[in-house]
Amino acid sequence: MMSDTNDRNKAPTVRERREATVGRIGFRERYRMPTGRPPAVVYWIGITVASLVMLGLILVLSASSVVNLYDGSSAWAMFQRQLLWVAIGAVAMYFAIIMPYDMWKGNAVLLFPVTIVVLVVNMAVVARGQITNGAKAWLDIGQFQFQPSEFMKIMTVLFCANFLARRHRSVAIRQAVLYPMLSVLVVTVSLCVFQKDFGGATIFFGVIITVLFMAGIPWRQLLAVLGGTAVIAVLGYPYAGSAAVRVHAWMNMDQEMVRIDKGYQVYQALLSIANGGWKGSGAGSGTSKWGYVPLAHSDFIFAVVAEEMGLLGTVLVFGGFLLLIYFAIQVAYNASDTHGAFIAGGVAAWFGVQAFVNIGGVVGLIPMTGLTLPFLSYGGSSIVASMIAAGLLINVARYPKKSA
């Protein structure tokens, strides 16, 4: 009898209290971890991303081998580095998939400090960054160059989704939604402009405008933002430096002096695309990488696609991005909450705007801005950030809303 009384009066251990607390809260219930089979769209997104990444590795090997030989290094050097970054991106993508996105919902303790760190790093780039191709957007870390603005895209999507999920019902109140979102727009775009990274500024603008549209911002406010941005762009054009030169070259591509000077890259890319024709020259047989198209392995990777794979390759790349954007829109539409919908919408805008700006610049549809093509272009920061974004998209797709 006395032993039973002692057992009842014995205080529970720390481990027992922790297990009891976790049992009452329920990790699965709190973070809505899925228990059944994932929806089909999860697999389709994974297949599309994997296909683009594998195609990108092939293209990087083809386009960078000549550059490596000119530099006196192995023809496999850039391909090996890209393969390493893909492996790192795959690990990061895995964690982005398995960590429930609810963990970011209203969790300023995690989101705000990380955002501040990325902002500080971006400001360090403005002050001390490495100038590459006219833009000061890279930091040198050992043997590698790091582009913080790529990861700022992830934080911007998460921050905007978190903010709008809590305030979308007050979207008509300017002080509650419009003004805070404008501050995010000004900070992100201004950092890119100071770095001379006008392509990155376009991405941030597109993502923020898209999520505002999704939130149901009044048309008058949206048009005011678009009009104000257009006025600022026109007034700042004379001071845009290399961006103004690119716009001038794009508008005067028919002039011979422009083709051999400021418009040389785009003109040579167009010649490479024309050389590809319907069937293409075959993988590894293109001529654009032999010094005719600078940065053929990076910003102008689409020219290599068109020349070596012809119409089939361009259709595959176009189709891949269109499918990815379509799946992202479906995920946003079927998301179980507004937070997930805003994440999916932000990722869709990111991939859609960046693919359009890159391909449009290569084919001469719009001025060239120096953006990479997601999943395809050479670059560690770009591939890792893109794969994390794809992981977030799959994460949201794992939690569809329940049908009535």
Side-chain angles (χ1 to χ4, degrees), residues 228-246:
T229 304
V231 171
I232 294 174
V234 171
L235 294 177
Y237 175 78
Y239 309 98
S242 60
V245 172
R246 291 177 179 178

Side-chain angles (χ1 to χ4, degrees), residues 18 20 25 46 62 65 79 98 112 114 131 137 165 167 185 195 209 226 240 259 264 273 295 303 316 318 342 367:
R18 183 172 65 247
I25 295 176
S62 173
S65 57
F79 170 78
I98 65 172
F112 185 73
V114 177
I131 298 178
R167 298 198 182 186
L185 178 66
Q195 297 171 11
I209 290 298
L226 295 175
R259 293 179 178 180
Y264 175 80
I273 294 173
L295 298 176
L316 287 175
F318 273 124
F342 285 128

Side-chain angles (χ1 to χ4, degrees), residues 82-106:
Q82 186 75 351
L83 189 60
L84 172 63
W85 286 117
V86 167
I88 294 173
V91 174
M93 181 178 175
Y94 171 75
F95 283 104
I97 292 173
I98 65 172
M99 292 177 60
Y101 68 88
D102 271 7
M103 296 180 67
W104 299 105
K105 188 175 183 179

Side-chain angles (χ1 to χ4, degrees), residues 63 66-67 70 264-265 268 272 286-296:
V66 176
V67 177
Y70 278 146
Y264 175 80
Q265 288 178 302
Q268 291 297 324
S272 298
T287 60
S288 58
K289 60 198 176 190
W290 290 89
Y292 296 104
V293 180
L295 298 176

Side-chain angles (χ1 to χ4, degrees), residues 132-135 138 196-203 237 240-253 258 261-270 273 293-304 353-374 377-378:
T132 304
N133 302 319
W138 288 265
K196 305 298 182 181
D197 181 14
F198 295 97
T202 305
I203 304 303
Y237 175 78
S242 60
V245 172
R246 291 177 179 178
V247 172
H248 175 76
W250 172 69
M251 296 175 63
N252 299 276
M253 193 58 65
V258 172
D261 187 17
K262 303 303 181 182
Y264 175 80
Q265 288 178 302
V266 175
Y267 181 64
Q268 291 297 324
L270 292 174
I273 294 173
V293 180
L295 298 176
H297 58 284
S298 181
D299 298 351
F300 285 83
I301 196 76
F302 185 75
V304 180
V353 173
Q354 187 158 339
F356 172 77
V357 172
N358 177 275
I359 296 175
V362 171
V363 302
L365 183 63
I366 60 176
M368 191 67 196
T369 58
L371 276 177
T372 57
L373 189 58
S377 295
Y378 173 79

Side-chain angles (χ1 to χ4, degrees), residues 34 68-70 78 100 108 114 120 135 153 160 168 183 219 223 227 236 244 258 269 290 325 350 353 373 392 402:
N68 291 327
L69 292 175
Y70 278 146
M78 286 189 182
V114 177
V120 171
K153 296 172 186 175
C160 292
H168 70 279
S183 66
W219 279 104
L223 292 176
V258 172
W290 290 89
I325 296 167
W350 173 357
V353 173
L373 189 58
L392 289 172
K402 297 180 180 179

Side-chain angles (χ1 to χ4, degrees), residues 130-143:
Q130 176 71 29
I131 298 178
T132 304
N133 302 319
K136 186 190 289 186
W138 288 265
L139 279 178
D140 287 333
I141 302 179
Q143 299 295 322

Side-chain angles (χ1 to χ4, degrees), residues 99-122:
M99 292 177 60
Y101 68 88
D102 271 7
M103 296 180 67
W104 299 105
K105 188 175 183 179
N107 202 341
V109 175
L110 289 175
L111 191 59
F112 185 73
V114 177
T115 304
I116 292 299
V117 169
V118 178
L119 276 172
V120 171
V121 174
N122 270 279

